[in-house]
Amino acid sequence: MAEAVVKDDGRPLFLQIAEQIENAIIDGSLSEETKAPSTNELAAFHRINPATAANGVNRLVADGVLYKKRGIGMFVANGARTRLLEQRREAFAQAYIAPLLTEARKLGMDAEDLKKMIDAWRHDA
């Protein structure tokens, strides 16, 4: 997790910390059953309050993405990557697919029309 993502984008810092860890799990740089960065490491790296980093980590613990090994630290849970991918895909569908389908219906387009349009864009890209 060499890349800092904490920025002033209007979202709370603890959510950005949680998302950074999630991204590392999704891209495979933080594997299941491996030790996650400690709250102190996150706080020092991002120059933020350790309590803020802890809030981000605790959110992932509550979601079952991380778990604590007493006296050792936080670890990535088995199945965390799959769970995160499912959550992100659902969020993607809600944010992009649902509005796309709504607009397509307004334009009189069906699924085949959309598929052709996507294929054309993919070939042009």
Side-chain angles (χ1 to χ4, degrees), residues 26 81-97:
I26 288 170
R81 184 173 187 275
T82 300
R83 233 179 352 271
L84 289 171
L85 285 171
E86 288 171 3
Q87 290 171 357
R88 294 271 179 102
R89 287 178 180 143
E90 179 58 32
F92 176 83
Q94 291 299 317
Y96 299 101
I97 303 300

Side-chain angles (χ1 to χ4, degrees), residues 13 17 39-40 42-44 46-55:
L13 293 175
I17 293 293
T39 55
N40 288 334
L42 291 166
H46 295 293
R47 296 184 197 102
I48 60 173
N49 186 312
T52 300
N55 284 341

Side-chain angles (χ1 to χ4, degrees), residues 98-114:
L100 172 74
L101 292 174
T102 299
E103 187 64 20
R105 280 187 213 103
K106 289 179 190 174
L107 299 173
M109 298 172 69
D110 62 13
E112 189 58 36
D113 295 326
L114 285 173

